[in-house]
Amino acid sequence: SYELTQPPSVSVSPGQTASISCSGDKLGETYVCWYQQKPGQSPVLVIYQDTKRPSGVPERFSGSSSGNTATLTISGTQAMDEADYYCQAWDSSTASFGGGTKLTVL
Amino acid sequence: EVQLVESGGGLVQPGGSLRLSCAASGFSFSSYWMTWVRQAPGKGLEWVANIKHDGRENSYVDSVKGRFTITRDNAKNTLYLQMNSLRGDDTALYYCARAPPSGIGGWFDPWGLGTLVTVSS
């Protein structure tokens, strides 16, 4: 399967900007999505097609992609943003998720 | 409101079978690709399979090929996952999720609450 690499953990202070990276050798050829998963809950889509934000997702969530790396950025991070974040992309007809990044808001 | 409700999980012995169901409501089920994603206890997400809106195309992660079969009944607005020859590493919470009409290359939204499959003797 297609390998997507994320840092296991990222820490941020409230009100600061958090950045979570996702790297894969074919990311320049495909869109990336991002999901937020809080403990005991199902994943929720927060970014699709690299940069688009679904209705209802706060504006502080943004996405970007350059070369083989995609980045999820959370501006003005709030305590409620503490969660696991997963990137996802496609390789031909199969989908892959990154290993996930635990965001801690200290 | 778009809703996905999984069922059919449970405890099964290695080598056994289970059929998961995902009842969809609140949208035109027959217009969307659908997918199954699983999450082993304390682990990350793993895509399992997806199926085209008319059921004529599907794909699987390598680890379940030949053992799992994804199907759908558009008349019943229901997605299925038939799981045979189950192994311990199939133990996970299984989610169904909706994919866009474009299918491959798209995103998964929304997700159900999941149904737990435990493979153990």
Side-chain angles (χ1 to χ4, degrees):
Chain A
S1 63
Y2 179 37
E3 186 169 344
L4 297 173
T5 302
Q6 299 180 235
S9 62
V10 168
S11 297
V12 64
S13 299
Q16 299 303 302
T17 297
S19 295
I20 300 173
S21 63
C22 173
S23 62
D25 61 3
K26 299 179 184 178
L27 283 190
E29 307 168 17
T30 184
Y31 285 125
V32 173
C33 309
W34 291 91
Y35 303 89
Q36 176 195 67
Q37 186 179 34
K38 296 182 178 180
Q41 298 184 17
S42 303
V44 173
L45 179 73
V46 293
I47 294 290
Y48 67 101
Q49 290 186 337
D50 292 347
T51 62
K52 297 179 180 179
R53 193 173 53 250
S55 173
V57 173
E59 291 184 7
R60 63 180 181 274
F61 288 86
S62 64
S64 62
S65 185
S66 178
N68 292 331
T69 300
T71 303
L72 173 69
T73 301
I74 309 172
S75 304
T77 307
Q78 299 183 9
M80 68 172 65
D81 301 329
E82 188 164 283
D84 293 327
Y85 291 85
Y86 296 89
C87 62
Q88 177 251 311
W90 288 84
D91 177 19
S92 184
S93 61
T94 61
S96 293
F97 289 92
T101 298
K102 181 175 181 60
L103 177 67
T104 300
V105 182
L106 302 167
Chain B
E1 178 193 6
V2 175
Q3 197 169 15
L4 300 170
V5 179
E6 303 93 336
S7 61
L11 176 63
V12 61
Q13 293 188 340
S17 298
L18 273 179
R19 188 177 83 154
L20 306 184
S21 299
C22 171
S25 60
F27 66 102
S28 179
F29 180 73
S30 61
S31 298
Y32 288 82
W33 287 66
M34 296 294 295
T35 198
W36 288 98
V37 176
R38 66 184 179 183
Q39 186 169 33
K43 303 297 183 181
L45 302 174
E46 181 183 36
W47 175 81
V48 175
N50 69 352
I51 186 167
K52 192 176 179 180
H53 45 78
D54 61 2
R56 294 187 178 185
E57 289 183 36
N58 52 53
S59 53
Y60 301 88
V61 66
D62 285 346
S63 61
V64 308
K65 283 181 181 176
R67 301 188 300 123
F68 290 13
T69 303
I70 186 171
T71 59
R72 63 192 297 162
D73 185 335
N74 286 343
K76 295 182 178 180
N77 290 344
T78 303
L79 174 72
Y80 302 100
L81 186 67
Q82 178 67 43
M83 305 186 296
N84 299 330
S85 303
L86 283 161
R87 313 184 305 219
D89 60 359
D90 294 318
T91 294
L93 185 62
Y94 284 74
Y95 296 101
C96 72
R98 186 182 70 174
S102 56
I104 293 171
W107 53 94
F108 306 137
D109 177 58
W111 299 53
L113 295 179
T115 186
L116 182 62
V117 172
T118 303
V119 183
S120 175
S121 56

